[in-house]
Amino acid sequence: MCGIVGYTGTKQAYPIIIKGLKRLEYRGYDSTGVALLNSGLKVFKKKGKVAELEETLVGEDLHGFAGIGHTRWATHGEPNDQNAHPHQSSSGKLAMIHNGIIENYASLKKELISKGYNFTSDTDSEVLLNFIEEIKTKNNCDLEEAIRIALKRVVGAYVILLIDEDNPGTIIAARKGSPLVIGIGKNEHFLGSDASPMLEYTKEVVYVNDYELAIVKPNELILKNLGNEILTPFVQKLDIELAAIEKGGFDYFMLKEIYEQPTTIFDCLRGRLDVENGTIQMAGVQDNLDKLINANRIIILACGTSWHAGLIAEYIFEELCRTSVEVEYASEFRYRNPIIIPGDVIIAISQSGETADTLVAIENAKEKGAFIFGIVNVVGSSIARTSHAGAYTHAGSEIGVASTKAFTAQLAVLTMVALKIAKEKNTISNERYRSCLNELNDVPVKVSKILESNDLIKSIAEKYKNFTNFLYLGRGYNFPIALEGALKLKEISYIHASGYPAAEMKHGPIALVDDSLPVVFIATKDSNIEKTISNMQEIKARKGKIISIITENDESAISVSNELIAVPAADEIVAPMLNVIPLQLLAYYIGIAKGCDVDKPRNLAKSVTVE
Ligand code: G6P
């Protein structure tokens, strides 16, 4: 979490840094700060979002050809002006921004206090900065050497960017566990947590790896490892366009991304799904068919919304491929001593490709001999690079903090992977296989159709916005969709919501049901629909208010529902991609009706790079 930006070159650094920080606010927005090298070092920082800092800086001298900027998601120390980055070293000559956590900061701080250092913040970051300064002074070495020595003693994760008043024009950066991209321009370099701050200036980037250090000047980029050996930067071409990270006429990125789903799902299927010839082309699967077909067990690792995609995949893989599947929260898996046996396949699912828990969990499983297949959205991200093979979701940049289009693209990829394995394994009949390909192919058009219910969903949101608790229920493939619907509502509108398997509702949540509890049922026509209708009756008998997602022209849920949202009929393996759309819109419109900043929900961050 936290967004970092840096610039050194021939342009004014401040506007580039501020614009870059706005693009990185999805990573955290508790406080903002900028440090500029003009004649001397200037640091401006403040609690609040980037726009708030910008307002307070009107009239200030913001000149400078090099600088660094930070948007924070607080870990150590509450969000306030002092804890905002950049931090300045005790001498006032160095400024540093940090994304990550220094786990042994307490012992380093004690050591520094005993040497007379004072601290102005509660952060682990200020400790690291002064530790670097102490080494620089004591060893009488340059900043680069001091950073290298300091990092050998640091436990934790970091991307750090440092500037030095005595060395204007140079930014020194280092990474372990948090992302860092360097953009290469003409007589200028850009640094960022991702490539979005540099998109309009360059398409050439270097993804810095763990334990690497970059010395960045306007005309020079030197990459080294912590052993001081020079490395050759691997320059890659970006294929993201600026339009992809702009709102394109929508009020919020979240709504834009919900509306993009017919296109993103289509893009995800394009070039892979060939209905006419009955094939699915996925190089990552094709090249590793042996491992995937003969997998003992598939273990799916993910967090948040991606974990919900994993739960749906469990149903799909077990049904189509007859492979045993376990779905684990990466954060729990990594701290157990999980049993990995030869033949285990790990599928890691992540939009950002940077979620710390997922990354470490797959690194651990890899060490134990598992084969890692990554399903990731961000090209070149850490999880993509750590996986042995994988498939990108091609959903484009997702900026709204609550995941929408990445989720449906994950489901599209997972369904294709399952179908391909099932076909090769012979666990699916030809007829069912062909029908599933057709069903998948029809998803984008059906999603467009569901989006036509926008106004209806908006009016339902208006009606229910003041309720303080919601229950979401579904069975089978629709149970994870109930979880996802509830998560969306919590994230966006701060209304408490729980998702449950519809039958399990009788073992607890039913005690909550009265006329003040809206219950959202995902009650589309599938093999369990009669059972779901019985559960709806049980809620209705207790005066719960029922909002139902039903299949078009299916009348079975009409009499028990207070509100109805219809979706086109679909096979149950692709239905989750459709059924989640009304729930995304419902959460969005309730959030808007309550005046929430749906793109930047409080306390959340899009890319969780701390444990
Ligand atoms: C955060 C985001 C969620 C996301 C989760 C996992 O909590 O707010 O939208 O689902 O992280 O992120 P990943 O990038 O690994 O899918």
Side-chain angles (χ1 to χ4, degrees):
M1 315 162 83
C2 301
I4 54 135
V5 184
Y7 175 80
T8 178
T10 51
K11 299 189 180 88
Q12 288 299 326
Y14 176 74
I16 295 171
I17 291 170
I18 284 289
K19 205 195 267 182
L21 287 177
K22 285 183 179 164
R23 293 193 187 147
L24 290 176
E25 269 192 314
Y26 72 85
R27 303 180 65 84
Y29 30 80
D30 293 334
S31 55
T32 315
V34 177
L36 298 167
L37 284 167
N38 189 353
S39 39
L41 175 65
K42 283 190 181 158
V43 176
F44 307 96
K45 56 185 194 172
K46 193 177 171 348
K47 178 183 172 187
K49 295 183 178 151
V50 180
E52 293 170 52
L53 175 75
E54 215 182 352
E55 272 169 33
T56 63
L57 296 187
V58 175
E60 292 279 352
D61 175 9
L62 299 167
H63 289 94
F65 296 106
I68 53 179
H70 188 267
T71 172
R72 180 171 186 242
W73 187 87
T75 58
H76 293 63
E78 63 173 281
N80 61 26
D81 293 355
Q82 291 75 32
N83 290 334
H85 299 217
H87 292 287
Q88 262 180 292
S89 62
S90 278
S91 72
K93 283 182 177 294
L94 305 178
M96 186 183 96
I97 52 176
H98 170 217
N99 166 206
I101 289 182
I102 306 303
E103 288 171 17
N104 58 338
Y105 84 102
S107 61
L108 296 176
K109 190 169 184 174
K110 217 165 146 194
E111 194 178 315
L112 290 167
I113 288 173
S114 72
K115 290 181 176 149
Y117 278 82
N118 292 316
F119 291 88
T120 56
S121 79
D122 309 314
T123 64
D124 51 341
S125 317
E126 191 189 9
V127 174
L128 174 58
L129 174 62
N130 279 324
F131 185 52
I132 292 169
E133 177 153 87
E134 161 68 10
I135 293 171
K136 185 171 182 282
T137 315
K138 200 174 83 192
N139 293 14
N140 194 20
C141 60
D142 62 14
L143 179 59
E144 182 195 324
E145 180 63 13
I147 294 173
R148 216 178 353 259
I149 296 170
L151 292 183
K152 284 184 185 152
R153 278 207 45 206
V154 159
V155 180
Y158 54 80
V159 160
I160 49 171
L161 262 55
L162 283 99
I163 50 177
D164 180 355
E165 187 173 89
D166 293 336
N167 203 358
T170 300
I171 300 174
I172 304 190
R175 136 168 198 167
K176 186 201 153 201
S178 299
L180 174 62
V181 185
I182 301 180
I184 303 166
K186 210 170 173 201
N187 301 325
E188 59 186 355
H189 283 102
F190 307 83
L191 299 97
S193 298
D194 68 27
S196 62
M198 53 200 84
L199 276 185
E200 61 262 65
Y201 311 105
T202 180
K203 289 273 184 278
E204 299 210 319
V205 297
V206 173
Y207 292 95
V208 178
N209 291 312
D210 280 350
Y211 304 106
E212 288 179 359
L213 192 126
I215 300 104
V216 190
K217 302 177 184 185
N219 301 312
E220 197 179 24
L221 165 63
I222 302 170
L223 203 62
K224 292 185 177 179
N225 60 21
L226 289 186
N228 202 18
E229 288 163 339
I230 297 201
L231 307 168
T232 310
F234 175 49
V235 180
Q236 301 191 42
K237 270 236 157 345
L238 282 176
D239 68 351
I240 316 171
E241 293 306 323
L242 195 56
I245 59 159
E246 289 179 339
K247 283 192 199 140
F250 285 89
D251 290 341
Y252 286 91
F253 280 111
M254 183 178 175
L255 190 61
K256 176 190 172 221
E257 288 157 6
I258 291 173
Y259 267 81
E260 277 175 344
Q261 290 175 106
T263 313
T264 50
I265 299 170
F266 178 79
D267 286 346
C268 179
L269 303 175
R270 192 175 45 182
R272 291 168 163 169
L273 179 69
D274 182 344
V275 176
E276 231 162 78
N277 294 309
T279 56
I280 292 170
Q281 306 282 345
M282 296 179 103
V285 179
Q286 188 64 43
D287 298 347
N288 297 285
L289 267 178
D290 263 14
K291 290 190 185 77
L292 294 165
I293 289 174
N294 300 317
N296 238 348
R297 180 172 67 143
I298 292 175
I299 303 171
I300 299 181
L301 299 178
C303 299
T305 289
S306 298
W307 184 76
H308 294 157
L311 284 182
I312 295 166
E314 177 179 20
Y315 288 77
I316 299 177
F317 276 86
E318 291 196 348
E319 185 186 330
L320 300 183
C321 313
R322 307 303 301 142
T323 309
S324 144
V325 179
E326 284 167 30
V327 189
E328 305 265 2
Y329 285 116
S331 54
E332 288 297 315
F333 184 84
R334 63 176 287 197
Y335 289 115
R336 294 211 311 264
N337 187 8
I339 297 163
I340 305 276
I341 44 177
D344 278 347
V345 166
I346 301 275
I347 297 185
I349 310 173
S350 176
Q351 186 288 126
S352 61
E354 300 294 347
T355 301
D357 284 321
T358 311
L359 181 59
V360 179
I362 64 172
E363 280 166 352
N364 293 349
K366 202 172 169 184
E367 270 168 31
K368 292 186 173 184
F371 173 72
I372 317 287
F373 190 89
I375 295 181
V376 173
N377 194 38
V378 177
V379 176
S381 55
S382 302
I383 295 174
R385 286 182 291 147
T386 305
S387 302
H388 292 110
Y392 282 117
T393 43
H394 298 308
S397 302
E398 190 181 67
I399 294 171
V401 165
S403 186
T404 53
K405 64 175 181 171
F407 175 69
T408 45
Q410 287 166 349
L411 292 179
V413 168
L414 286 158
T415 311
M416 283 190 285
V417 173
L419 282 167
K420 192 162 170 65
I421 296 174
K423 178 83 177 126
E424 298 290 340
K425 230 179 141 181
N426 241 338
T427 46
I428 189 169
S429 71
N430 204 32
E431 196 189 351
R432 173 106 169 100
Y433 173 74
R434 284 285 187 162
S435 127
C436 286
L437 295 194
N438 280 313
E439 286 279 343
L440 251 181
N441 200 42
D442 292 345
V443 169
V445 172
K446 290 181 181 173
V447 171
S448 300
K449 183 101 197 295
I450 297 168
L451 292 170
E452 289 170 15
S453 302
N454 180 72
D455 292 349
L456 166 71
I457 297 170
K458 195 172 173 180
S459 66
I460 296 174
E462 200 50 51
K463 209 159 147 187
Y464 287 85
K465 67 180 180 201
N466 292 323
F467 284 85
T468 50
N469 281 298
F470 276 68
L471 189 60
Y472 284 68
L473 299 175
R475 282 172 178 262
Y477 290 91
N478 284 325
F479 156 53
I481 292 300
L483 294 179
E484 176 59 10
L487 176 64
K488 286 285 92 80
L489 189 71
K490 270 185 282 215
E491 287 178 304
I492 297 306
S493 69
Y494 317 141
I495 295 174
H496 175 261
S498 302
Y500 257 85
E504 198 61 23
M505 165 271 290
K506 289 197 284 293
H507 301 284
I510 198 164
L512 303 170
V513 180
D514 60 19
D515 62 0
S516 69
L517 186 77
V519 182
V520 180
F521 266 96
I522 301 101
T524 48
K525 216 162 176 201
D526 58 16
S527 45
N528 289 319
I529 184 65
E530 279 84 19
K531 305 254 178 317
T532 308
I533 302 286
S534 303
N535 299 137
M536 296 169 91
Q537 296 284 9
E538 289 151 10
I539 298 285
K540 188 179 155 79
R542 289 161 181 84
K543 299 196 167 38
K545 304 234 172 325
I546 299 183
I547 302 170
S548 302
I549 313 298
I550 59 159
T551 301
E552 262 170 14
N553 305 322
D554 177 28
E555 299 190 349
S556 41
I558 294 181
S559 62
V560 282
S561 305
N562 297 75
E563 317 292 341
L564 291 163
I565 305 166
V567 298
D571 187 289
E572 57 190 15
I573 73 155
V574 302
M577 279 181 263
L578 308 181
N579 299 348
V580 75
I581 310 287
L583 304 186
Q584 295 170 344
L585 284 170
L586 185 66
Y588 172 82
Y589 281 117
I590 292 181
I592 293 290
K594 294 192 74 195
C596 302
D597 183 347
V598 297
D599 280 344
K600 299 187 193 99
R602 70 180 176 214
N603 304 336
L604 293 178
K606 185 145 194 74
S607 184
V608 182
T609 54
V610 296
E611 297 167 21

